[in-house]
Amino acid sequence: MKEGILEKVVRVDQNDSKLAMAHMYVAFLSLLIGAIAGVLQGLSRAGLITLPAGINYYQLLTAHGVLLALVFTTYFIYGFYYAGLSKTMGSFSSQNHKLAWIGFYIMVIGTAVAAAFIILGQANVLYTFYPPLQANPFFYVALAVYVVGNWIGATAMLRHYFEWKKENKGEISPLFGFMVVATMLLWIISTIGLAITIIFQIIPWAFGAGDGINILLSRTLFWYFGHPLVYFWLMPAYVAWYTIIPKVIGGKLFSDSLARLAFILFLLLSFPLGFHHQLMEPGIESFWKFVQVALTFTTVTPSLLTAFSMFATFELAGREKGSRGLFGWVRKLPWGDVRFLAPMLGMLFFIPAGAGGIVNASHQMNAVVHNTLWVVGHFHISVGTTVVLTFFGVAYWLIPHLTGRTLTAKMNKFGVIQTLLWTVGMILMSAGMHILGLMGAPRRTGYTTYGDHPTALEWFTNFFANHVTVSVGGVILFISTVMMVAGFFHLALFAPRQGTATFPISDGSYNGTNIPAFFENWRIWIILAIVLILAGYLIPVIDMVRNAPPGAPPINWVIQQFSMLYLK
Ligand code: HAS
Ligand code: CU
């Protein structure tokens, strides 16, 4: 924490800092609102509070999912990536800068309009918004606008990278930039599927055209996007692990090439896997489910490579500092430094999160856990902890760096407490959710005892896990989130300017710099990814179109409002 004072810090270009900070403001505001919606829906689900008239469980759950899973993550990732690209590959040209700002404003328009419909109760369709649940048509238009804004921002990043490549012919790009390109290509290729279902299926249907929607096709397109989406969240966390953490712990990365290989594997293998979210759906032949499950298991490889890389990095750094024995390196890690502690706890959570993912992907076991709270537990420790704690760890140094402020020892301590609170809250909440899921408690249902059915009552009274302990965990997480948001505003606006916090970026790797040049042959990776997409999806999708089930009529927001009034 003293580096800011001791070293002369080379700051990220001022204009690029402003661009990154604009994204961060939206991210942390959404984090706050999304967390308020989250804690309220959790308490109401447990029967601990009654929601005031005019607000319903699904409205809160939609706000929670959309604001945290889609809005907070995306804006944070864009902000982090703009800053990191500027730091490692030079400041953005004025043209790329303009493009990035245009992308930002379009994203903000999409976000604001979509949020308005959620607040008005006209989009209670949850963050997956699959038909036949139907929102106000303009909610989907807003989503489409949001996607276009994302593409424009991604284009600015890609142009920045390729311009650098042109100016530095024959040179290998910095690891950060390489990883940004892999992520953004994955993001563009996956959001194309989302755009297709929104523009060609959902919007016309929501405006009343045609006779119903092909739900199977729409969900398939959604999950074609939805699985890579989880890697779009994860990859920036890995970027921090590979490029930032080695520097924070005072060592070097184990192997730059291995890190790049992991990212290429994500780009190649992430797409034809969506069926592992649809294993319980009729209408998809089991052969194609088998193909996609098999491919899912191959996508575990880049995460296992990452686990190996991180262990090797920690051990080599520890041994350099004189650690002895098999695990002596553990003691050499800077546990009291929030820039390390938060991502590190994220990594530890990813061990059970990844194991849970493998359970989910196994067809037979999926039958036990699908649509239960187990899945909610899984994604709260993957995206909600591995990714989020890493992002928090990054925020503690990135925000003061971008605003020319200091990360003081006091603020570091605050960060450590906030991180530990998150950890405790999440252990309580996610363990409870996993166990409740195994006990049959469904996800996405408000408070009910199913007419005092004994199984349902058990979900409220079981000693080890019940809805009440889950919401107590949720309240602790909420406190931690409020601390983080307060920390963000402090670091952005009020922290002292006694030297700028460093942007810790690792240079070189223990395994040298012999990086294969063909890694940057993006054309090959894109073509291979498309070949795999066609292999996994072409035949089943043709089948879905040719043998389309009868179109589904909408369960729309007007009907939802009436039925809720009626049920009351
Ligand atoms: Fe998942 C459902 C399968 C990873 C997020 N997942 C979800 C949903 C979300 C989500 C949001 O197959 C719910 C969607 C919805 O609303 O319906 N998931 C997987 C598999 C993986 C996986 C196989 N998921 C993620 C990640 C996510 C995420 C990452 C967000 C960021 N998931 C599924 C399936 C479903 C699913 C099914 C559908 C369930 C259903 O029925 O609905 C794999 O990618 C996991 C591989 C990971 C590992 C772990 C490696 C460990 C590492 C840490 C090392 C630690 C160190 C620290 C170095 C194998 C890298 C050590 C230090 C010391 C000091 C000891
Ligand atoms: Cu998935």
Side-chain angles (χ1 to χ4, degrees), residues 226-227 230 273 276-277:
H227 185 79
V230 315
L273 314 178
H276 70 222
H277 294 266

Side-chain angles (χ1 to χ4, degrees), residues 309-504:
S309 270
M310 296 322 294
F311 274 116
T313 301
F314 295 152
E315 179 170 355
L316 291 171
R319 293 206 187 285
E320 250 181 6
K321 289 183 192 154
S323 79
R324 292 173 182 281
L326 204 51
F327 293 111
W329 50 270
V330 175
R331 267 184 285 137
K332 298 280 176 197
L333 294 169
W335 294 99
D337 183 343
V338 68
R339 301 172 310 167
F340 168 76
L341 180 74
M344 178 55 156
L345 286 168
M347 285 178 212
L348 288 172
F349 266 99
F350 202 42
I351 298 172
I358 292 167
V359 168
N360 296 343
S362 310
H363 198 153
Q364 296 86 335
M365 286 193 270
N366 187 270
V368 177
V369 299
H370 183 64
N371 269 345
T372 71
L373 273 181
W374 165 283
V375 175
V376 187
H378 163 69
F379 68 68
H380 276 91
I381 52 173
S382 48
V383 62
T385 304
T386 302
V387 171
V388 164
L389 275 187
T390 302
F391 287 1
F392 288 174
V394 167
Y396 279 106
W397 56 262
L398 181 60
I399 305 303
H401 178 88
L402 294 175
T403 53
R405 295 175 191 275
T406 319
L407 169 59
T408 58
K410 216 167 153 188
M411 197 57 200
N412 178 64
K413 207 185 236 171
F414 174 91
V416 167
I417 296 169
Q418 182 262 327
T419 303
L420 294 176
L421 269 180
W422 189 277
T423 306
V424 172
M426 192 53 88
I427 289 175
L428 258 181
M429 188 173 95
S430 69
M433 285 173 163
H434 277 93
I435 299 172
L436 282 172
L438 293 179
M439 288 159 62
R443 66 186 285 200
R444 296 179 155 173
T445 28
Y447 173 76
T448 172
T449 58
Y450 295 88
D452 287 346
H453 190 283
T455 308
L457 288 178
E458 175 80 3
W459 304 331
F460 290 87
T461 52
N462 184 282
F463 178 75
F464 293 107
N466 58 60
H467 282 313
V468 179
T469 52
V470 165
S471 43
V472 169
V475 170
I476 299 174
L477 284 166
F478 178 67
I479 296 168
S480 174
T481 310
V482 171
M483 284 177 72
M484 182 67 240
V485 176
F488 166 79
F489 282 105
H490 174 77
L491 290 169
L493 300 171
F494 307 111
R497 292 184 187 272
Q498 299 153 354
T500 304
T502 41
F503 191 128

Side-chain angles (χ1 to χ4, degrees), residues 88-102:
T88 58
M89 302 181 91
S91 17
F92 276 62
S93 68
S94 64
Q95 235 179 359
N96 290 339
H97 219 266
K98 234 180 250 160
L99 208 57
W101 275 109
I102 294 173

